[in-house]
Amino acid sequence: MAKIKGAVVIDKELCKGCGLCIVACPANVLGHSGEVNGKGYDYVKMVNPDACVGCASCGTVCPDSVITVYKVKI
Amino acid sequence: MADIDIKDIIKEENIVYKKSSILLDKVMHYCPGCSHGVTHKLIAEVIEEMGIQDQTIGVSPVGCSVFAYNYLNVDFQEAAHGRAPAVATAIKRLLPDKYVFTYQGDGDLASIGAAEILHACNRGEHIVCIFVNNAIYGMTGGQMAPTTLVGMKTATTPYGRDVDRNGYPMKITELIAQLPGTCYVTRQSVETAAAVRKTKKAIRKAFENQRDKKGTSFIEVVSTCNSGWKVDPVKANKWMEDHMFKFYPLGDLKDSTRDNPADYEQYIKD
Ligand SMILES: Cc1ncc(C[n+]2csc(CCOP(=O)(O)OP(=O)(O)O)c2C)c(N)n1
Ligand code: SF4
Ligand code: SF4
Ligand SMILES: [Mg+2]
């Protein structure tokens, strides 16, 4: 059976750590990294990458357009 | 368990979502989580998808979005506080083949600029008006706006907005929907992926209305100003859903074409 797999790339220097993508993700893929970027923001990263289905909910709500979303069928 | 390596997913050909090419590579000055950023990118995506970058002229307001021209790669004119619809009127009349849109906050549009927006909509100018209603003057430090809810605490209503002292919150979008010059009046939001997609559709429709000379299209985006409201971005969205949406219900208020001028000629006939 074909499976959908996704992944996201977050520009960690441009992320403002607002957390809107974290709550938008239906698969709980994202979380704060616990580290700060050059601007002092606790940027977001994939904390549960295997769960990503590439739905792009995170990218869609990101006010700073710093998320690129990828999706494949396997 | 992953049955494919992440490196094999992250490839150009697998991209399903990325930053619009109409957005410039400048870091937006907005606070983390501000609704302005989402609204900007939707305008960018619509301009990109319609292929009208060279034909579009934006008019930016005074307010936090004063620098919209720094982020969207289209021609722009900055207007004096509240005057964006008047400036857009001039641009559209001089350059009728261009797509002209205004972008305004609630302080700019519903307060100092109330006359300009009502009359532009009443004239039925063929423009798109985007109205970001975060119920506060964000830029100047969170003062009360005409749209501030009763009981809402702001810098100038520290005990909450009080009708006897501060007047009623204004549903400017409902007023605008009454005007014969408008063709499309809608209230949307950008707090969830589904809401963002709906708002994008509304913006697309508004630009198409302008192309088809249907009249003025007006899109309110019920928004947050987490800095002004003094809550974090996620809580701000929740507060908006729980309180703002009750007073400012989402949905279309009008979807047609502006009134036919001929229907107005009967009154002084004979
Ligand atoms: C003529 C004039 N009066 C007052 C101001 C001060 N001022 C700047 S922005 C603003 C209101 C901004 O609020 P809003 O339009 O809601 O935008 P937001 O920042 O909330 O997006 C005011 C009153 C000004 N710049 N010019
Ligand atoms: S929505 Fe965007 S800016 Fe906000 S935390 Fe997520 S990636 Fe960062
Ligand atoms: S003050 Fe409010 S409206 Fe202005 S950028 Fe910050 S969150 Fe956005
Ligand atoms: Mg405002």
Side-chain angles (χ1 to χ4, degrees):
Chain A
M1 203 186 77
K3 246 178 82 181
I4 304 286
K5 278 288 300 165
V8 303
V9 173
I10 300 172
D11 188 327
K12 70 172 200 178
E13 279 311 314
L14 297 181
C15 171
K16 293 177 181 168
C18 69
L20 295 184
C21 54
I22 300 174
V23 293
C25 174
N28 298 317
V29 172
L30 305 172
H32 282 107
S33 63
E35 285 161 33
V36 292
N37 62 20
K39 288 217 191 277
Y41 292 123
D42 181 354
Y43 61 87
V44 163
K45 66 173 190 184
M46 286 204 284
V47 292
N48 187 13
D50 285 353
C52 181
V53 291
C55 70
S57 295
C58 55
T60 304
V61 301
C62 175
D64 290 87
S65 299
V66 303
I67 304 180
T68 309
V69 184
Y70 302 80
K71 183 157 102 175
V72 288
K73 252 196 205 141
I74 47 169
Chain B
M1 207 195 79
D3 8 25
I4 179 169
D5 198 87
I6 194 152
K7 286 201 296 293
D8 295 320
I9 306 175
I10 299 173
K11 285 184 174 161
E12 186 76 23
E13 65 265 29
N14 298 331
I15 289 179
V16 288
Y17 189 88
K18 65 172 188 197
K19 178 176 169 167
S20 167
S21 66
I22 304 295
L23 286 173
L24 291 158
D25 279 334
K26 288 203 177 117
V27 180
M28 291 193 191
H29 69 288
Y30 299 117
C31 305
C34 175
S35 308
H36 277 304
V38 189
T39 309
H40 280 23
K41 84 170 167 184
L42 295 183
I43 298 169
E45 287 174 6
V46 167
I47 292 170
E48 180 177 359
E49 285 165 23
M50 289 178 73
I52 55 170
Q53 181 179 23
D54 294 342
Q55 296 144 260
T56 303
I57 303 171
V59 184
S60 50
V62 171
C64 279
S65 48
V66 64
F67 296 134
Y69 49 79
N70 279 340
Y71 308 128
L72 288 156
N73 194 5
V74 294
D75 286 338
F76 251 101
Q77 174 62 49
E78 167 63 32
H81 204 6
R83 277 40 168 180
V87 174
T89 297
I91 295 172
K92 184 66 185 180
R93 289 184 177 209
L94 288 166
L95 303 168
D97 296 334
K98 299 285 185 187
Y99 290 86
V100 180
F101 75 92
T102 57
Y103 188 105
Q104 299 179 268
D106 49 319
D108 190 79
L109 183 144
S111 191
I112 192 169
E116 280 74 14
I117 190 63
L118 289 173
H119 286 287
C121 290
N122 193 54
R123 291 191 303 270
E125 302 295 341
H126 298 296
I127 57 174
V128 173
C129 302
I130 312 279
F131 168 43
V132 174
N133 177 12
N134 54 18
I136 209 160
Y137 289 11
M139 184 197 213
T140 42
Q143 293 84 1
M144 189 195 84
T147 43
T148 300
L149 298 184
V150 170
M152 195 172 162
K153 288 188 175 132
T154 69
T156 43
T157 55
Y159 304 108
R161 182 178 190 160
D162 169 63
V163 169
D164 288 334
R165 190 189 302 266
N166 312 114
Y168 297 92
M170 196 184 235
K171 293 185 178 179
I172 192 112
T173 303
E174 274 77 352
L175 288 175
I176 280 166
Q178 307 303 313
L179 299 173
T182 52
C183 61
Y184 179 46
V185 180
T186 189
R187 185 184 279 124
Q188 302 292 335
S189 64
V190 292
E191 82 288 7
T192 61
V196 170
R197 289 190 198 105
K198 275 177 94 175
T199 303
K200 181 173 167 184
K201 273 202 189 121
I203 295 173
R204 170 87 189 221
K205 184 197 273 250
F207 274 84
E208 288 172 354
N209 287 344
Q210 179 167 172
R211 179 194 61 203
D212 301 341
K213 300 192 170 43
K214 286 185 163 183
T216 314
S217 294
F218 186 92
I219 300 171
E220 173 177 348
V221 183
V222 183
S223 295
T224 66
C225 168
N226 59 79
S227 288
W229 296 2
K230 308 208 185 313
V231 286
D232 70 47
V234 172
K235 285 201 188 108
N237 273 342
K238 178 87 175 79
W239 195 89
M240 175 179 72
E241 288 172 344
D242 291 348
H243 305 288
M244 296 271 284
F245 289 177
K246 277 194 224 152
F247 190 74
Y248 297 115
L250 304 184
D252 289 352
L253 289 91
K254 181 175 187 178
D255 184 6
S256 58
T257 45
R258 69 178 200 177
D259 285 8
N260 183 356
D263 293 344
Y264 285 76
E265 284 160 14
Q266 55 179 301
Y267 301 101
I268 58 159
K269 270 194 185 147
D270 308 326

